[in-house]
Amino acid sequence: SDTAVRNCDANAGGGGGGWLAESPLRAEEVRFHDLDSGAFGGALAIEGGDHQITRSVFTAGDALDGGAIDALGDGSLSVIGSRFEHNEADDYEIYDTAYGGAIASSGMTLSVVNSTLVDNEAEQTAGLYSHTTDPLHELELRPNAFAHHLADPIGLDGLPPPGSRTV
């Protein structure tokens, strides 16, 4: 069954991480801040299924990959009209590198529309990282703003981000 979260505040006060979403998640007008998972997805770890994040804010998240969101497996993630600021993917000296200061996606169809990613940090791809080997999974980025990241803003296995701009 679906999980719906609307108009709320998720704050762990500097630790504890957010949610693991294994069933379809619908989050609207949710503020995720100061969440540190110590693993994957500072605010949200998404595994399979179809998920939608709308008009939400992610600030000061910290994780191995996906400082705010880590999405993996078969399914889709749509992010609409949301903001990602001061999130960090940190390898905690466990891995050689960390991906997706704001969002890391592996294997999912990913759509990020009318969103802003600002001042996120990672060793690789501080804004958004998307990887898949399945030609049926797609990436949609339009129109978004990427600004002031402490690594390349987007990692798409070398492909330019269509319809997006880097400031």
Side-chain angles (χ1 to χ4, degrees), residues 3-143:
T3 300
V5 181
R6 182 154 195 236
N7 195 22
C8 68
D9 207 11
N11 176 0
W19 293 312
L20 170 64
E22 294 176 316
S23 62
L25 173 67
R26 304 285 176 259
E28 183 176 349
E29 298 176 355
V30 179
R31 293 163 302 282
F32 298 90
H33 53 98
D34 295 323
L35 295 167
D36 180 349
S37 71
F40 299 97
L44 293 174
I46 294 172
E47 295 182 5
D50 297 317
H51 309 272
Q52 184 172 348
I53 311 295
T54 307
R55 294 183 310 276
S56 293
V57 177
F58 294 81
T59 56
D62 193 0
L64 287 170
D65 284 335
I69 299 174
D70 186 51
L72 56 110
D74 193 32
S76 66
L77 171 61
S78 296
V79 178
I80 303 163
S82 295
R83 182 175 182 86
F84 297 81
E85 190 168 4
H86 301 297
N87 298 289
E88 181 179 3
D90 185 348
D91 68 5
Y92 299 105
E93 299 183 14
I94 297 171
Y95 294 105
D96 292 334
T97 191
Y99 292 95
I103 302 171
S105 173
S106 183
M108 283 207 163
T109 295
L110 178 62
S111 174
V112 181
V113 178
N114 294 327
S115 295
T116 302
L117 292 84
V118 179
D119 291 327
N120 297 289
E121 183 177 350
E123 289 181 23
Q124 299 287 323
T125 61
L128 168 71
Y129 174 77
S130 178
H131 170 76
T132 184
T133 57
D134 186 340
L136 298 178
H137 290 119
E138 300 176 351
L139 173 68
E140 175 186 25
L141 299 173
R142 64 178 173 82

